Amino acid sequence: MSSNEGIQASVYTRWHQLAVPLAFVLAAGSFMLVVLNRGPVALGAALAVLGLVLPPLVAFKGFPTRNTVKVTSDGLEFSRRSPIAFADLSRWGTDDYLKLTRPGLPTLLVSPADLPSRERLLRDFEAALAAWQKRQPAGTAAARRTHFYGSTGGRLVGAVITALGAGSAVMALNLREPSLSLAVVGGLGALFGLVMLFGKRG
C-alpha cells in the first residue's frame, strides 16, 4: 500500500517540540529572578521577552522543518530527510501529530499542513503499518502505540508550566508598577500548561 501523492508537512524533532515549553520556562524564570533580586522591572521584561522568543527562533529557523511525506508499504519517505522503515520503529503516537520513536535516534514529529492532510496521513500510516505487521514472521515485536496527553509525563510537564505561568502572572500584577503584558504572557503559559495537565488520550 502507498500514497500516490506526497503530503505537505512539517517534520520536527523533540528539540523543536521542547522549544515551546522551554521558552515559557525561560521567560518566567528570568523575570522572577530579576524581580526577586530587586532588579529593574524593565530588565526583567526584556529578558522575559527574549526567553520567550529565542528558543523557538533557534529551533525553527535554524533547523527548517518543511517536508513532503509519502507513506509506502515499508515505511515513510521524506523529501528532505532519510526514510524511516516500519522495522525501525519502537513506538508511535497520534496526539497532535504523528510521533515516530526509534531506539537510539531522534524522535520525529510529523505535522501535516492542514486537517484533511493530517487525517489522510494518519489513516494511510495506520493502514500501511497494520499491513506490514501482518507480513512479518510470527513473534515479531510490533511497534507500540503511545499517548502523551493523559500520561504521567504529560501531566508533570503541564503542572510545572502551569505553576511557572501562574506565578509569573501573579508577580507581574503585584509589582510596584504592575505589568499587564507580562501577566498576559504568564497567563497564556498557565493555560498551555493546563491543557497538558488535564489532557486526555485521543
Side-chain angles (χ1 to χ4, degrees), residues 20-144:
V20 176
L22 176 62
F24 282 115
V25 171
L26 282 178
S30 58
F31 177 70
M32 288 191 292
L33 182 64
V34 171
V35 171
L36 290 176
N37 284 285
R38 300 179 183 274
V41 175
L43 175 61
L47 290 177
V49 171
L50 185 63
L52 195 64
V53 171
L54 193 58
L57 188 65
V58 171
F60 292 94
K61 292 298 183 182
F63 303 92
T65 60
R66 290 184 182 178
N67 261 272
T68 299
V69 186
K70 179 182 288 188
V71 180
T72 70
S73 59
D74 296 308
L76 295 176
E77 294 180 353
F78 301 90
S79 61
R80 300 180 65 181
R81 63 170 54 244
S82 301
I84 295 180
F86 290 138
D88 294 335
L89 298 178
S90 59
R91 297 190 302 276
W92 61 280
T94 57
D95 287 303
D96 294 322
Y97 37 71
L98 178 60
K99 181 179 72 173
L100 306 171
T101 304
R102 302 162 294 166
L105 294 170
T107 296
L108 292 187
L109 311 170
V110 184
S111 178
D114 52 45
L115 183 58
S117 295
R118 178 181 184 274
E119 293 175 345
R120 176 187 161 202
L121 175 64
L122 299 184
R123 181 179 63 250
D124 290 354
F125 173 83
E126 291 186 40
L129 178 60
W132 177 84
Q133 288 174 339
K134 289 180 180 179
R135 299 196 303 270
Q136 304 313 300
T140 301
R144 183 168 57 91

